Amino acid sequence: MKIFSILPWADWLALVCFFSLWIGYATVAKPWARRRPSLLATTNRYRRYWMEQAIDRDPRMLDGLITQNLSSTPSFFSSTSILIIGGLFALLGTTDKATELMSEIPFAQATTLIVFEFKILVLIAIFVYSFFRFSWSMRQYTFVALVIGSMPPPEDFAAGKFDRRAYADRAGALVASAAETMNDGLRAYYFSFALLGWFVSPLAMVMATAVVTAILYSREFRSEVLHILRD
């Protein structure tokens, strides 16, 4: 197939290693979180506590403000992703100048114009993926606001008209889903920085991907913030 002739074999191996580490870490991180504390799993417990407090609170204006504040982060990154995608498409129109600039960087591997454009397209695909994850996280936070707004008065829960635990579990799971979706988008941003090493050489990208994976692991399972929240 012609597509396999676009890149040298070293670049294909580096690309396979890049996506293998990304997808592999995302796949393995969830089972690990069941056996050992993770930052996302720990903060999900706090989200569940938040919803238990929201049930007993009246009025729930504070919870609405918290939800609005949480949704501002994926909204910011979603808008930023669109700007980055636009900038990368603009770069496709000046790839000849960009390749000349890259050739002047020490240790940078010389590439053809079509290979350079292919690398930019892969980078665009990553930010398109992150945009969809951030925008979906935004929508989920609107669902969280809807659930909070539809909560019955605290006295109805106290009277046993509604199941307090079921309502808190449902709302907490929805907030956790929004946070996990945003985490996927942030992870894509981290690995996009690793992909920048590809413009230097395939080996640089593999090394950068390994470093990014190690950083993600340390922040998710070994960070000081995790110890503070867990304790």
Side-chain angles (χ1 to χ4, degrees):
M1 296 177 66
K2 290 185 178 181
I3 188 172
F4 291 108
S5 62
I6 294 177
L7 299 177
W9 65 270
D11 290 277
W12 281 119
L13 287 177
L15 196 60
V16 169
C17 181
F18 171 79
F19 283 108
S20 296
L21 283 173
W22 181 0
I23 298 172
Y25 177 80
T27 304
V28 173
K30 288 185 178 180
W32 277 353
R34 299 189 189 102
R35 298 193 302 267
R36 60 196 310 176
S38 70
L39 189 60
L40 187 60
T42 303
T43 52
N44 281 344
R45 287 197 292 114
Y46 282 89
R47 294 180 180 97
R48 175 63 168 74
Y49 299 155
W50 168 31
M51 287 302 137
E52 288 180 349
Q53 296 297 320
I55 286 175
D56 296 330
R57 198 167 11 237
D58 189 29
R60 301 187 176 98
M61 294 178 59
L62 175 62
D63 305 290
L65 291 173
I66 294 173
T67 304
Q68 183 180 8
N69 183 58
L70 290 174
S71 65
S72 64
T73 302
S75 175
F76 168 78
F77 279 106
S78 179
S79 303
T80 303
S81 299
I82 294 177
L83 295 176
I84 294 174
I85 292 169
L88 290 173
F89 272 115
L91 182 61
L92 284 174
T94 59
T95 48
D96 51 345
K97 296 181 181 179
T99 51
E100 292 178 5
L101 179 63
M102 290 299 301
S103 62
E104 297 177 0
I105 298 177
F107 309 109
Q109 178 179 310
T111 58
T112 61
L113 193 61
I114 189 171
V115 171
F116 191 84
E117 291 176 345
F118 183 83
K119 294 177 180 179
I120 295 176
L121 289 175
V122 174
L123 198 57
I124 290 174
I126 292 176
F127 283 105
V128 168
Y129 167 79
S130 66
F131 166 77
F132 279 109
R133 299 308 287 169
F134 286 128
S135 59
W136 179 231
S137 177
M138 288 169 52
R139 287 202 64 191
Q140 290 181 83
Y141 277 118
T142 62
F143 302 152
V144 172
L146 180 64
V147 170
I148 293 175
S150 65
M151 282 183 179
E155 52 267 21
D156 286 351
F157 285 109
K161 295 181 180 180
F162 298 93
D163 190 338
R164 188 178 187 277
R165 178 178 294 275
Y167 228 102
D169 288 341
R170 186 183 301 111
L174 189 57
V175 182
S177 177
E180 289 174 7
T181 305
M182 190 185 73
N183 192 51
D184 292 339
L186 286 174
R187 191 177 293 145
Y189 265 59
Y190 273 89
F191 279 99
S192 68
F193 284 105
L195 189 69
L196 292 177
W198 198 14
F199 291 90
V200 178
S201 70
L203 180 60
M205 183 176 73
V206 172
M207 294 174 62
T209 305
V211 170
V212 166
T213 305
I215 291 174
L216 288 173
Y217 173 79
S218 64
R219 292 188 175 182
E220 187 71 18
F221 296 95
R222 300 286 185 180
S223 64
E224 182 180 353
V225 175
L226 172 61
H227 290 293
I228 294 173
L229 290 173
R230 188 179 60 187
D231 294 339

